[in-house]
Amino acid sequence: MSSHEQSFRAGETKGRTQEKANQAMGTIGEKAQEVKEKAQNAAQGVRERAREKGGATNDRAWEMGQSTRESAQSGKDNSEGFMQQAGERVKGMAQSATDSVKNTFGMARHDEDDDYPPHPPTTY
């Protein structure tokens, strides 16, 4: 083989090698682009799911807050009723004590205390 022929074949081989390298680089670039797009899509999906879950979490938190407010209002209503009943009982007991003291000292008027017989006036 002549050196001219060897140079020609070496150039051909180099050209084919260069072409294959370019093709390989193109394929690698395409694969890299596909991987990049898949990663972006996955990240977008994660962001959307996070937003959805965040919204659901906000909804649950609002519902829990509403339930707590309702329970607090119910407790307040119940304690107001209890306090009113207790106040009425204390008021009734105080009135009974007052009537008893008046009766004991003969200060009760007949129309105030129909449960007790009238006391005769005491003379000193």
Side-chain angles (χ1 to χ4, degrees):
M1 219 186 308
S2 69
S3 74
H4 179 46
E5 204 174 304
Q6 283 179 338
S7 291
F8 178 75
R9 286 194 182 161
E12 271 187 335
T13 302
K14 182 180 176 186
R16 275 189 241 129
T17 303
Q18 186 68 38
E19 182 62 29
K20 286 183 182 184
N22 288 341
Q23 287 174 352
M25 291 302 288
T27 302
I28 290 171
E30 290 170 8
K31 294 291 182 190
Q33 185 63 32
E34 288 175 21
V35 168
K36 178 182 172 185
E37 288 172 4
K38 284 181 183 179
Q40 287 174 337
N41 290 339
Q44 181 64 28
V46 167
R47 282 191 295 272
E48 289 173 5
R49 283 191 297 278
R51 267 191 232 115
E52 290 169 4
K53 293 208 185 265
T57 300
N58 287 342
D59 291 345
R60 281 193 294 265
W62 184 86
E63 289 169 3
M64 288 175 64
Q66 186 66 24
S67 175
T68 301
R69 281 188 291 277
E70 290 170 3
S71 294
Q73 183 62 43
S74 175
K76 179 182 173 195
D77 294 344
N78 288 340
S79 54
E80 284 175 354
F82 173 78
M83 295 301 280
Q84 185 175 3
Q85 289 174 357
E88 291 295 324
R89 282 192 294 249
V90 168
K91 182 180 171 184
M93 290 183 339
Q95 186 63 46
S96 293
T98 301
D99 292 344
S100 292
V101 168
K102 284 180 178 181
N103 231 0
T104 301
F105 291 109
M107 298 168 50
R109 293 188 315 193
H110 295 292
D111 62 335
E112 282 183 347
D113 195 1
D114 293 332
D115 294 339
Y116 297 101
H119 291 289
T122 55
T123 55
Y124 295 99

